[in-house]
Amino acid sequence: MEWKNKADVVIVGGGILGVATAYYLAKLGRKDIVVLEKGTVCSGSTGRCGAGIRAQWGTEMNCRLGLAALDIFEQLDDELGLPTGLNQGGYLLVAYSEKEFENLKKGMKLQNDLGVKTRVVSLAEARGICPALDASDAVGFTYHARDGHADPFLTTFAYLEVAKRLGVSYFRRTEVTGVTVKGGKAVGVDTTKGHIDADLVINCAGAYAQVIAKMAGVDLPNWGERHEIMITEPVEPGVCPPMLMSFSGNYYIQQRPHGSIICGVSPKGHPQDFELRTTWQFITHMSTVLNKLLPVTKGIRIVRHWSGLYDMTPDGSPIIGETDVKNFYHSTGYSGHGFMLGPIAGKILAQHLTGSKPDIDFSMLDYRRFARGELIVEPNIT
Ligand SMILES: Cc1cc2nc3c(=O)[nH]c(=O)nc-3n(C[C@H](O)[C@H](O)[C@H](O)COP(=O)(O)OP(=O)(O)OC[C@H]3O[C@@H](n4cnc5c(N)ncnc54)[C@H](O)[C@@H]3O)c2cc1C
């Protein structure tokens, strides 16, 4: 693709956020959009994630975003004309203490009030939903049947392909090295391929968003947090249709359609860590957790093990909106749930930037909330 020195919109980052935002902007009529990616599409967190999609959240904002995300995913294959690998086996949340179960039920009440049909299920019903499950030590379960997971590569490639058909330019292996600010406005970016003048710059750099922000003198409180994850060889398909998740148990487990299991845990204490290394301690711990919950996995082999970065914020909620530097927007800080929220976040930001009313008012996700002390603390994360 021929290099451009001028664009209407420059988007930094070729993950789900950057690509979905580009697609919705183009669909809503913005012209001359350029996506810049220092690696390749999906080489950041998006291509490394567990790809779960849920509306079982603990804050009103995330419930609304999660539900709207499900609405989008359910018709996305038709809209884009390409597959996203959506698999709606639900999310089965597992509580290991009365206190945790009460918290899940409190979240369920909020979800139900907002139209998310989460319900409590018994151990027997949980076993019906997930035939391989051994969770006799669990105190309770909640389940939302519309939740599930999709394929992050298929989804992001589909958005990119259709965005390109709508005229979006995508440059891979092109690192943004500076954001040019004149008179308090972002007016372009420097890259390893040259400078681009732009009327609008959108920071979708995931765990590196605070680095891009700093280039324009904006301080974001975000950080990268390394998470390990693995995939096993297949077991019989259909033994674990839902995403199994526990906040106190600290795990998420899903089965791919061909039978492999993808699973991960979170590091304790949310440490800042940008290194994409892997450890044998993770494999040992994860295998023990997996074998206990799904005894059918005993003795199977691990096929691959990798790590990726959560793009964390202090309250576990995203940052969407303009900064003190005009025409410089962020859509970042998804704190481990950016794959599922990417489509709806891209859509509402694009609606805002094309002069229409966003489906969800996201003004409270402004980054200034941290300075004001108005945190939107999401309890339903590991
Ligand atoms: C192990 C793991 C499991 C997860 N599980 C889930 C899950 O089940 N469900 C869910 O919703 N989310 C999950 N997530 C979180 C999810 O992956 C992220 O929130 C989401 O992918 C963020 O998308 P993004 O586009 O903002 O970031 P990314 O996909 O990281 O994209 C940002 C891109 O910006 C590029 N970039 C950075 N700096 C520059 C620069 N200077 N110039 C040009 N490009 C640059 C990077 O190369 C990168 O490709 C998980 C994450 C991990 C690591």
Side-chain angles (χ1 to χ4, degrees):
M1 177 162 294
E2 204 178 326
W3 182 249
K4 301 168 90 119
N5 295 112
K6 168 91 190 84
D8 174 22
V9 184
V10 162
I11 297 177
V12 186
I16 185 71
L17 264 306
V19 170
T21 306
Y23 164 75
Y24 289 110
L25 278 171
K27 187 182 170 196
L28 292 172
R30 283 259 344 207
K31 307 277 182 231
D32 211 5
I33 300 159
V34 170
V35 177
L36 303 172
E37 165 55 51
K38 73 175 173 183
T40 57
V41 67
C42 274
S43 61
S45 303
T46 304
R48 298 162 180 273
C49 79
I53 305 165
R54 63 177 157 122
Q56 288 190 70
W57 289 104
T59 62
E60 178 171 344
M61 177 53 84
N62 274 339
C63 287
R64 287 192 192 284
L65 290 170
L67 192 56
L70 283 170
D71 290 341
I72 293 182
F73 269 105
E74 284 171 352
Q75 54 77 56
L76 200 53
D77 289 21
D78 288 341
E79 177 174 341
L80 299 178
L82 291 165
T84 60
L86 178 65
N87 193 322
Q88 284 177 292
Y91 254 67
L92 185 62
L93 297 188
V94 189
Y96 289 100
S97 69
E98 286 298 343
K99 189 170 171 225
E100 185 177 24
F101 193 31
E102 283 312 309
N103 282 339
L104 285 189
K105 286 191 277 191
K106 199 170 141 205
M108 183 180 76
K109 164 91 177 62
L110 172 72
Q111 293 150 23
N112 289 169
D113 289 347
L114 296 167
V116 182
K117 295 189 172 134
T118 307
R119 60 196 172 88
V120 167
V121 294
S122 64
L123 176 59
E125 204 178 345
R127 283 204 183 114
I129 293 164
C130 182
L133 180 67
D134 181 351
S136 43
D137 53 345
V139 169
F141 307 85
T142 61
Y143 178 67
H144 180 232
R146 279 180 72 195
D147 292 343
H149 47 85
D151 184 315
F153 294 96
L154 288 179
T155 306
T156 313
F157 278 69
Y159 269 122
L160 181 61
E161 174 58 28
V162 182
K164 286 203 261 187
R165 286 183 208 154
L166 293 172
V168 170
S169 305
Y170 164 69
F171 294 96
R172 62 181 178 161
R173 306 214 184 284
T174 308
E175 182 168 353
V176 171
T177 53
V179 176
T180 317
V181 180
K182 277 193 188 145
K185 285 185 187 168
V187 292
V189 295
D190 291 320
T191 82
T192 44
K193 289 201 176 132
H195 180 81
I196 307 184
D197 288 329
D199 298 326
L200 186 62
V201 177
I202 308 179
N203 178 4
C204 295
Y208 297 91
Q210 86 284 16
V211 177
I212 303 296
K214 198 81 185 158
M215 291 175 185
V218 174
D219 278 321
L220 291 186
N222 305 33
W223 71 94
E225 177 183 294
R226 182 178 60 88
H227 281 240
E228 296 182 57
I229 176 169
M230 69 186 201
I231 186 164
T232 69
E233 65 182 342
V235 292
E236 188 191 336
V239 297
C240 181
M243 181 75 99
L244 270 183
M245 186 175 213
S246 172
F247 304 123
S248 69
N250 185 17
Y251 58 76
Y252 59 88
I253 297 170
Q254 62 138 303
Q255 187 176 30
R256 304 299 301 147
H258 68 282
S260 287
I261 307 275
I262 290 182
C263 48
V265 300
S266 292
K268 294 272 179 239
H270 299 292
Q272 175 167 310
D273 187 350
F274 285 88
E275 272 188 60
L276 293 175
R277 68 199 155 83
T278 49
T279 62
W280 62 264
Q281 286 94 337
F282 167 81
I283 292 191
T284 311
H285 174 69
M286 188 74 251
S287 304
T288 308
V289 172
L290 181 64
N291 289 170
K292 179 169 180 297
L293 273 159
L294 302 178
V296 68
T297 61
K298 281 183 187 159
I300 64 169
R301 284 167 294 193
I302 295 161
V303 172
R304 200 157 66 87
H305 165 209
W306 67 97
S307 68
L309 302 178
Y310 271 26
D311 42 343
M312 295 302 295
T313 64
D315 58 4
S317 294
I319 293 172
I320 313 178
E322 200 175 22
T323 58
D324 288 336
V325 174
K326 295 284 160 231
N327 300 340
F328 185 39
Y329 279 74
H330 300 292
S331 183
T332 184
Y334 289 86
S335 304
H337 35 285
F339 171 68
M340 68 183 88
L341 298 188
I344 181 61
K347 186 178 181 195
I348 57 181
L349 182 55
Q351 287 170 326
H352 171 75
L353 292 171
T354 51
S356 41
K357 186 169 177 278
D359 290 350
I360 295 173
D361 177 2
F362 60 86
S363 49
M364 72 191 297
L365 296 174
D366 173 24
Y367 83 117
R368 297 173 193 86
R369 72 179 185 271
F370 299 105
R372 291 195 301 265
E374 293 169 8
L375 274 61
I376 311 164
V377 179
E378 173 52 65
N380 282 4
I381 51 176
T382 49

